[in-house]
Amino acid sequence: MIYRSKAPLRIGLAGGGTDVSPYSDLYGGAILNATISLYARASIEPLSNGKVIFDCADRRETAIYDAVYPLPLDGKLDILKGVINRVQKDYGSLPATGFKLTTFVDAPAGSGLGTSSTLVVTVLGAFAEWLKLPLGEYDMAHLAYSIEREDLQQAGGKQDQYAATFGGVNFMEFYKGDKVIVNPLRIKEVNLHELENNLVLFYTSTSRLSSSIISEQQKNVTDKKDTSIEAMHHLKEQAVMMKEALLRGTINKIGEILDYGFEYKKQMAHGITNPQLDEIYDAARKAGASGGKISGAGGGGFMIFYCPKNTRFAVVDALSSFGGDVKRYTFTNHGIQTWSI
């Protein structure tokens, strides 16, 4: 048997950064995101040779270990080994006969679409399918978060794990004690089509290490830096504005709302933008985009631009001079999916 899973990546539309502790613990966070037709995928093939084989097909990276748990966290594919070690610790059901884990992600690491967290959810899903683990949606998302933030000590927020698990367009609320509420939004199909048509997803052909930006953001809250905290308050407000625009069907306000949030996002920490990204943003605005943002923590990766009416063609043309790539996508309604063959 082969046990498979896939989970969608996400576009963060508003509120990014307010899901990160300690801000969410102290003030409560709110984020609006939507999953798209780019995926992380995982397959598990049970073996009988006592080995654990990793095959990261998108990165052309492989590794082999003895099926003795916990696997060593040695800086190589630790995010995958972190999942395996936690599954063994919590459920004690991994066989000494070994297995092969194959993964593939449709976007590069550090691109701002939640790739790492989505991969963790996907691998968890494959193990849940294989071992029949009793994991509901909230359970899986929280376990993925715990593996990344606690076991592996990787800085970051909470939205990506919940987006990958639940799927769709969601307004998410974050509170102290790891309390998360996922509110699926019932958006009229015509409005979702218009948003999909007008929202350009552009890969800048750069990646970044989000942890350094997020660590500074966390420190700014801990140190009570007013500028950073006030910016996060405005981003939380932006999430509410985005929710109302989508539900009311005032779609062409979305560019303004994105621009509003981007101005405050840049105040959360250093490195969120840079001269190259600012140049790309300005070029898109001059070509007709009414607003946009850097996806994820910032510093590189994907950017999104809202292009009202038929301006997307001029915007795409303007972006072509920067050597990046406009990525086609559709919105998805499903989160993690698992099956076996």
Side-chain angles (χ1 to χ4, degrees), residues 7-295:
L9 306 182
R10 61 98 187 105
I11 294 176
L13 292 173
T18 67
D19 61 322
V20 178
S21 299
Y23 180 86
S24 58
D25 302 327
L26 295 171
Y27 305 103
I31 276 185
L32 197 149
N33 58 33
T35 52
I36 58 175
S37 56
L38 299 175
Y39 296 91
R41 307 167 194 271
S43 296
I44 295 175
E45 301 172 70
L47 301 176
S48 57
N49 61 0
K51 300 294 182 180
V52 174
I53 301 174
F54 296 99
D55 180 9
C56 299
D58 55 319
R59 299 169 56 172
R60 295 180 173 84
E61 188 172 356
T62 61
I64 301 175
Y65 294 85
D66 292 328
V68 178
Y69 311 105
L71 296 176
L73 299 179
D74 54 9
K76 186 172 186 178
L77 305 180
D78 281 355
I79 195 166
L80 302 180
K81 289 184 283 187
V83 177
I84 291 167
N85 290 346
R86 185 61 176 268
V87 168
Q88 176 64 18
K89 177 183 175 183
D90 288 3
Y91 301 100
S93 50
L94 291 178
T97 50
F99 57 89
K100 180 179 181 181
L101 173 62
T102 303
T103 59
F104 191 95
V105 184
D106 289 340
S111 59
L113 300 181
T115 51
S116 296
S117 299
T118 304
L119 181 58
V120 170
V121 169
T122 304
V123 174
L124 267 179
F127 278 110
E129 177 73 17
W130 179 24
L131 305 173
K132 309 303 179 191
L133 304 181
L135 292 173
E137 292 171 323
Y138 277 100
D139 300 322
M140 184 173 291
H142 182 266
L143 181 56
Y145 171 80
S146 179
I147 291 168
E148 287 186 87
R149 308 295 172 244
E150 297 169 9
D151 297 356
L152 299 176
Q153 291 293 299
Q154 295 180 349
K158 302 181 179 75
Q159 68 157 319
D160 298 342
Q161 299 86 353
Y162 288 85
T165 303
F166 283 83
V169 182
N170 294 294
F171 179 80
M172 300 181 180
E173 301 170 80
F174 305 90
Y175 302 99
K176 65 180 180 181
D178 288 334
K179 180 181 178 181
V180 180
I181 301 173
V182 178
N183 305 283
L185 300 186
R186 296 180 61 184
I187 302 170
K188 289 183 179 179
E189 192 171 0
V190 64
N191 294 331
L192 208 53
H193 285 323
E194 185 67 5
L195 178 62
E196 189 177 280
N197 182 79
N198 294 354
L199 201 64
V200 170
L201 181 61
F202 178 67
Y203 184 54
T204 63
S205 295
T206 62
S207 62
R208 80 288 181 270
L209 187 62
S210 63
S211 58
S212 59
I213 296 174
I214 293 170
S215 294
E216 181 184 344
Q217 177 188 322
Q218 292 174 308
K219 185 176 186 300
N220 287 342
V221 176
T222 302
D223 293 346
K224 295 181 170 57
K225 187 175 179 180
D226 291 340
T227 301
S228 183
I229 293 173
E230 190 65 26
M232 293 181 210
H233 290 340
H234 282 286
L235 285 163
K236 184 166 62 172
E237 179 187 359
Q238 183 209 19
V240 176
M241 294 163 60
M242 186 68 72
K243 178 179 71 170
E244 292 178 353
L246 289 172
L247 293 177
R248 292 175 182 271
T250 53
I251 302 299
N252 280 337
K253 287 186 177 179
I254 287 176
E256 301 170 21
I257 297 170
L258 287 171
D259 187 64
Y260 170 88
F262 187 42
E263 288 303 312
Y264 282 108
K265 185 178 181 69
K266 290 184 285 188
Q267 299 176 29
M268 293 197 313
H270 294 99
I272 287 175
T273 189
N274 57 51
Q276 179 191 9
L277 299 178
D278 289 340
E279 187 179 357
I280 293 172
Y281 191 82
D282 291 343
R285 290 297 305 273
K286 289 176 182 176
S290 54
K293 67 185 287 286
I294 296 171
S295 188

